[in-house]
């Protein structure tokens, strides 16, 4: 009896160890191509990736890093279930905020942060045979700001985006920095107000010259009680992305996807939606299941 129990327990331990040995993990990629601002790349490839897997680029906020954002979110857990790949980069400059202000980062292939991030995508497509038609970006706070910028700058790369507590693409253009400590506070304070046409022109100025193709399907989230990146920034993103997609407001869906959240639907709801989170501060927690549905991965 004792021998039988020992054998069963030993087998269970071996099974656990074998599972752990085979489990995927976040892996650093030291060389992924041109990386002018010294970003760090960490990638998560599930044990059983889909054939030609999709890729999600997930961007942390200021004072954060890629591995930390991976632990804060459920994207890797969902990658195991659905077979997509995740990239969790890290910025090491200006309080670890993403550069969404300098001329180099706001110019396509301008040798800023955006260049390094685009090269992470190119590396992943080539190395892991990822599907170039299923490349997605999401991020929180500074990462939400960069989500806006990348969607405007690389519309030929990204198919859909989900930005949390960010600002419109170009809102911080010309600021001395991107962190709360170095940036001009006017943008984060919601004082940069433009027309839809002006925001659209600013976004399209970042796109490839002569580009007339589609832009990423875009959803954006903001809390009404955000005192760091204030709530008026949701309205400016709405102007920009509803203008880019040429869609008008249709309806509000209350308590969607959570109690106190309101989904604002534009057009038929397939190109642009916005979420207002009543009483939520900085930042709106990632809604990973909603993101995957928006990306077309579930």
């Amino acid at each position: 009896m004792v021998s039988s129990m020992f054998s069963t327990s030993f087998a269970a331990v071996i099974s656990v160890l074998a599972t752990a040995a085979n489990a995927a993990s976040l892996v650093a990629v030291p060389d992924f191509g041109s990386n002018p601002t010294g970003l760090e790349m960490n990638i998560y490839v599930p044990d059983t990736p889909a054939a030609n897997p999709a890729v999600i680029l997930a961007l942390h906020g200021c004072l954060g890093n890629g591995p930390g954002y991976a632990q804060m979110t459920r994207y890797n857990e969902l990658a195991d279930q659905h077979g997509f790949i995740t990239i969790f980069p890290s910025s090491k400059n200006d309080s670890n905020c993403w550069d969404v202000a300098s001329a180099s980062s706001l110019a396509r292939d301008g040798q800023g942060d955006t260049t390094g991030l685009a090269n992470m995508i190119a590396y992943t497509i080539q190395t892991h045979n990822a599907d170039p038609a299923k490349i997605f970006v999401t991020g929180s706070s500074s990462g939400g700001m960069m989500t806006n910028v990348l969607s405007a700058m690389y519309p030929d790369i990204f198919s859909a985006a989900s930005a949390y507590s960010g600002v419109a693409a170009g809102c911080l253009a010309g600021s001395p920095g991107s962190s709360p400590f170095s940036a001009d506070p006017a943008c984060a304070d919601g004082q940069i107000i433009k027309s839809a046409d002006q925001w659209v022109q600013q976004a399209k100025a970042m796109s490839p010259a002569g580009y007339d193709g589609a832009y990423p399907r875009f959803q954006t989230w903001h809390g009404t009680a955000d005192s760091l990146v204030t709530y008026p920034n949701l309205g400016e993103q709405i102007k920009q992305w509803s203008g880019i997609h040429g869609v008008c407001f249709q309806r509000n869906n209350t308590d969607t996807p959570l109690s106190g959240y309101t989904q604002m639907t534009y057009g038929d709801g397939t190109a642009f939606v916005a979420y207002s989170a009543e009483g939520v501060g900085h930042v709106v927690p990632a809604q990973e299941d909603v993101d995957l549905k928006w990306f077309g991965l579930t």
Side-chain angles (χ1 to χ4, degrees), residues 172-199:
L172 271 163
S175 172
S178 295
S179 78
F181 318 107
S182 63
D184 183 333
C187 174
D189 288 348
Q191 298 173 0
I192 306 297
I193 307 297
K194 299 183 180 183
S195 69
D197 285 345
Q198 288 173 321
W199 280 124

Side-chain angles (χ1 to χ4, degrees), residues 3 5 32 49 70 76 85 96 100 103 136 147-148 167 185 187 230 238 275 288 295 297:
S3 175
M5 290 177 60
F32 52 85
N76 286 350
I85 292 172
N96 293 12
V100 293
F136 310 103
T147 296
N148 276 265
V167 301
C187 174
T230 61
I238 287 172
Y275 292 88
E288 299 92 342
F295 296 159
L297 298 179

Side-chain angles (χ1 to χ4, degrees), residues 10 18 38 64-65 71 111 139 164 167-168 174 183 191 202-203 246 249 251 259 295:
F10 182 74
N65 57 51
Q71 292 182 343
Q111 302 304 300
Y164 292 89
V167 301
Q191 298 173 0
Q202 187 150 12
F249 175 77
R251 65 186 180 278
S259 177
F295 296 159

Side-chain angles (χ1 to χ4, degrees), residues 28 37 59 104 107 141 169 174 198-199 214 216 223 229 246 261 286 288:
T37 57
L59 302 165
S104 60
S141 189
Q198 288 173 321
W199 280 124
V229 181
Y261 284 53
E288 299 92 342

Side-chain angles (χ1 to χ4, degrees), residues 33-148:
S34 177
N35 182 23
T37 57
L39 305 181
E40 293 180 352
M41 177 182 179
N42 283 276
I43 192 169
Y44 186 88
V45 181
D47 287 333
T48 309
N52 307 120
V55 179
I56 296 177
L57 178 70
L59 302 165
H60 65 76
C62 293
L63 305 177
N65 57 51
Y69 197 52
Q71 292 182 343
M72 288 171 55
T73 59
R74 295 174 48 240
Y75 296 114
N76 286 350
E77 171 192 332
L78 293 167
D80 287 333
Q81 297 176 29
H82 300 287
F84 58 83
I85 292 172
T86 57
I87 303 171
F88 285 92
S90 298
S91 169
K92 300 186 292 181
N93 303 310
D94 197 6
S95 301
N96 293 12
C97 297
W98 299 102
D99 180 2
V100 293
S102 74
S104 60
S105 201
L106 293 178
R108 187 177 171 106
D109 303 323
Q111 302 304 300
D113 281 359
T114 49
T115 297
L117 293 170
N119 285 333
M120 292 181 192
I121 296 295
Y123 167 89
T124 304
I125 292 172
Q126 181 176 7
T127 304
H128 298 283
N129 199 29
D131 187 344
K134 294 181 179 179
I135 308 298
F136 310 103
V137 58
T138 186
S140 299
S141 189
S142 178
M145 299 177 187
M146 182 56 88
T147 296
N148 276 265

Side-chain angles (χ1 to χ4, degrees), residues 148 163-169 171 187-194 199 218-226 229-242 252 260-264 266 272-278 280 284:
N148 276 265
Y164 292 89
S165 308
V167 301
C171 183
C187 174
D189 288 348
Q191 298 173 0
I192 306 297
I193 307 297
K194 299 183 180 183
W199 280 124
F218 202 92
Q219 66 177 14
T220 184
W221 310 70
H222 222 102
T224 63
D226 195 330
V229 181
T230 61
Y231 189 66
N233 283 294
L234 176 61
E236 300 310 296
Q237 290 176 82
I238 287 172
K239 291 178 194 175
Q240 188 170 62
W241 289 100
S242 64
N252 283 334
Y261 284 53
T262 298
Q263 181 197 61
M264 293 169 275
Y266 287 75
F272 175 68
V273 295
Y275 292 88
S276 175
E278 183 66 31
V280 176
V284 175

